[in-house]
């Protein structure tokens, strides 16, 4: 079974995906983390993103995998734990440009499709229900009020000790929403058969129970 969760930045997609994967015993994949890891590599190695040849040779050097460390899904880039680094504001400010590059997307989508297994998969991102798994069994499209999203992200960032202002976070969200929805290759959009949820006024648990009920109904009908 494949569950696709797409939506705008900082809508709590990964939070929902993790909860569902845990309850259902499915594999969880945060595809945003993969684009963030590529972006970190491009920043560290000063890859020229106007050169397809440079992008391709950088991609050939990149190996991404996930490990469960103390119950937390953790991203590794070439065997280095980069979970904290990929959440930095520097990466957030550049990730939408990098993920708009078709060569990058082709490699990530290929990796993502290989992650489907026998049991089940919950994958979150921007193009999961539209491009990566257009035949996913259940698709959710998540949205929330921009101010509420920025407040949530700000609280999360400051609780992790990041030195960032609410204003910077708000601007970053607007910037990413714009590029993610306007890019030529696999823009963020709601799949025709995706279920829309605006979680502005829902608690994490309310959203989880609602999504779980929908999935269980779907499982019964399989
Ligand atoms: O989910 P996130 O905010 O960590 O994702 C970071 C960026 O990666 C997001 O702004 C757009 C890009 N992304 C994408 O283009 N396609 C995906 N499937 C997931 C993320």
């Amino acid at each position: 079974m494949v569950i696709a969760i797409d939506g705008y930045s900082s809508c709590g997609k990964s939070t929902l995906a993790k909860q569902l994967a845990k309850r259902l015993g499915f594999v969880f994949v945060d595809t945003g983390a993969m684009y963030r890891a590529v972006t970190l590599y491009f920043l560290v190695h000063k890859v020229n993103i106007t050169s397809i040849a440079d992008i391709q040779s950088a991609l050939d050097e990149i190996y991404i995998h996930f490990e469960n460390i103390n119950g937390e899904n953790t991203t590794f880039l070439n065997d280095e734990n980069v979970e904290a680094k990929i959440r930095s504001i520097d990466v957030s400010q550049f990730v939408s440009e990098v993920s708009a590059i078709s060569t990058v997307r082709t490699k990530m989508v290929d990796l993502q499709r290989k992650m489907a297994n026998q049991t089940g998969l919950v994958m979150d991102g921007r193009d999961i229900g539209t491009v990566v798994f257009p035949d996913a069994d259940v698709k959710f499209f998540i949205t929330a009020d921009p101010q509420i999203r920025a407040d949530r992200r700000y609280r999360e960032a400051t609780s992790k000790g990041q030195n960032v202002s609410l204003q910077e976070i708000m601007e970053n969200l607007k910037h990413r929403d714009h590029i993610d929805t306007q890019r030529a290759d696999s823009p963020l959009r709601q799949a025709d058969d995706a279920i829309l949820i605006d979680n502005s006024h829902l608690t994490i648990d309310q959203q989880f129970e609602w999504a779980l009920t929908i999935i269980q109904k779907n499982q019964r009908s399989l």
Side-chain angles (χ1 to χ4, degrees), residues 41-56:
Y41 186 96
F42 280 20
L43 282 171
V44 170
H45 293 85
K46 300 191 171 44
V47 175
N48 173 8
I49 64 162
T50 61
S51 158
I52 295 287
D54 288 8
I55 292 168
Q56 192 58 64

Side-chain angles (χ1 to χ4, degrees), residues 6 13 29-43 49 55 59 62-66 75-77 82-83 85-88 90-113 115 123-128 130-132 176 180 183 185-188:
D6 290 304
K13 298 183 297 296
V29 178
D30 170 2
T31 63
M34 298 170 71
Y35 288 97
R36 286 172 178 273
V38 172
T39 303
L40 177 66
Y41 186 96
F42 280 20
L43 282 171
I49 64 162
I55 292 168
L59 288 173
I62 292 177
Y63 168 66
I64 297 166
H65 78 280
F66 296 103
T75 314
F76 284 76
L77 170 63
V82 291
E83 189 55 41
K85 286 185 190 166
I86 61 168
R87 310 288 164 193
S88 69
D90 289 347
V91 169
S92 298
Q93 267 158 358
F94 192 38
V95 66
S96 284
E97 278 80 356
V98 171
S99 50
I101 302 168
S102 291
T103 324
V104 172
R105 301 204 71 80
T106 304
K107 172 158 175 162
M108 294 303 112
V109 170
D110 188 42
L111 287 174
Q112 289 153 14
R113 288 191 179 136
M115 290 173 175
M123 187 172 271
D124 81 272
R126 304 292 187 290
D127 59 343
I128 312 307
T130 49
V131 174
V132 184
R176 287 201 286 141
D180 296 347
R183 67 183 175 217
D185 188 341
S186 336
L188 168 66

Side-chain angles (χ1 to χ4, degrees), residues 113-126:
R113 288 191 179 136
K114 290 187 176 130
M115 290 173 175
N117 68 357
Q118 295 296 315
T119 328
L121 173 73
V122 188
M123 187 172 271
D124 81 272
R126 304 292 187 290

Side-chain angles (χ1 to χ4, degrees), residues 144-152 166 170 173:
D145 178 86
Q147 187 63 52
I148 293 175
R149 290 195 270 146
D151 287 342
R152 288 177 184 158
L166 181 60
M170 190 64 178
L173 288 190

